[in-house]
């Protein structure tokens, strides 16, 4: 029994590699935008959206590899009822960051493990991030430096990079902000014998 990471996320792969987790990365092969559109049409919460998408990714590959543990993940940035998609343009990234400035938003990271095509474990963690009310000049300079790199990041920032300059306070796990509830995952992997206890 091995661990498959059903994700294209460089950040998730880097976190697992750095933590010494043995895994095989594979694309989940789902149409995430179509699934997200269907789910958000129902007015779904950030928590339930992240959970549903993570389970969808894990289940899809678990049906192909029933003997392995398959980890699916998803991360949603939200402020109140507004859910932020990854920015498709610099202008969209600027609009999103202006909406988050001076507010405390949530990063919800869900992880689901499937085995034999069925969920056997899940963990959803939320971090709260207080973003400062930065100037327009700061935002222009930030995006000059960080676009398009932050186009693949929920929220439009890389917390491990210049994105740290956006914040005055973060409550919650750094790993959750990066996109994975890593410590609860490691607990489960030790229970399953994937990692040394
Ligand atoms: N490096 C970095 N990545 C971040 C940060 N915040 C969010 N992300 C990434 O933003 C992406 C959130 O989008 P998702 O839809 O959950 O994942 P994805 O990148 O599409 O990859 P899949 O798992 O294949 O769906 C993930 O790759 C997160 O790792 C951050 O502060 N730094």
């Amino acid at each position: 029994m091995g661990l498959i990471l059903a994700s294209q996320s460089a950040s998730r792969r880097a976190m697992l590699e750095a933590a010494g987790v043995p895994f095989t990365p594979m694309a989940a092969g789902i149409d995430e935008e179509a699934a997200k559109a269907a789910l958000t049409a129902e007015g779904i919460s950030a928590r339930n959206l992240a959970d549903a998408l993570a389970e969808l990714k894990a289940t899809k590959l678990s049906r192909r590899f029933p003997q392995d543990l398959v980890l699916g993940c998803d991360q949603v940035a939200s402020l109140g009822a507004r859910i932020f998609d990854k920015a498709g343009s610099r202008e969209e990234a600027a609009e999103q960051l202006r909406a988050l400035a001076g507010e405390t938003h949530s990063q919800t990271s869900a992880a689901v493990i499937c085995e034999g095509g069925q969920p056997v474990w899940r963990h959803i963690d939320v971090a709260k991030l207080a973003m400062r009310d930065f100037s327009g000049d700061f935002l222009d300079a930030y995006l000059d430096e960080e676009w398009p790199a932050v186009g693949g990041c929920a929220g439009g920032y890389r917390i491990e990079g210049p994105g740290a300059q956006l914040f005055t306070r973060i409550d919650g796990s750094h790993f959750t902000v990066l996109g994975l509830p890593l410590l609860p995952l490691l607990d489960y992997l030790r229970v399953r014998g994937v990692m040394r206890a």
Side-chain angles (χ1 to χ4, degrees):
M1 172 194 74
L3 176 66
I4 295 171
L5 172 63
S7 175
Q8 307 261 57
S9 166
S11 175
R12 292 189 178 115
R13 295 183 187 186
M15 275 188 270
L16 292 181
E17 282 163 6
V21 179
F23 71 99
T24 305
M26 281 188 204
I30 66 155
D31 181 344
E32 187 167 341
E33 290 320 306
K36 196 175 282 188
L39 288 163
T40 41
E42 300 160 11
I44 194 169
S45 69
R47 182 185 183 85
N48 290 340
L49 177 61
D51 184 32
L53 289 170
E55 182 171 334
L56 198 61
K57 297 171 199 177
T59 304
K60 177 85 181 285
L61 274 187
S62 181
R63 287 181 180 144
R64 283 177 54 196
F65 303 97
Q67 302 309 315
D68 292 309
L69 296 180
V70 180
L71 170 64
C73 310
D74 197 72
Q75 180 178 14
V76 174
S78 60
L79 176 64
R82 181 175 176 183
I83 286 174
F84 293 77
D85 274 328
K86 284 176 277 191
S89 67
R90 176 180 165 139
E91 292 67 30
E92 193 177 342
E95 186 278 326
Q96 288 186 355
L97 289 167
R98 281 194 292 269
L100 295 173
E103 304 283 353
T104 296
H105 70 277
S106 298
Q107 284 283 16
T108 302
S109 287
V112 174
I113 289 182
C114 285
E115 189 174 19
Q118 296 299 322
V120 293
W121 175 86
R122 72 177 72 237
H123 193 92
I124 300 155
D125 193 44
V126 181
K128 300 279 188 187
L129 300 93
M131 191 178 284
R132 66 186 181 87
D133 201 2
F134 43 74
S135 67
D137 288 348
F138 171 86
L139 180 57
D140 287 343
Y142 169 78
L143 288 173
D144 283 349
E145 192 178 354
E146 284 287 88
W147 186 264
V150 296
C153 300
Y157 50 81
R158 293 188 295 180
I159 195 66
E160 75 279 17
Q165 295 181 36
L166 296 170
F167 299 100
T168 55
R169 180 184 175 89
I170 294 174
D171 290 302
S173 164
H174 182 78
F175 299 116
T176 294
V177 179
L178 285 170
L180 182 66
L182 179 63
L183 300 188
L185 172 65
L186 294 177
D187 280 341
Y188 182 69
L189 295 180
R190 284 188 283 267
V191 167
R192 295 300 307 268
V194 174
M195 303 286 290
R196 189 180 306 112

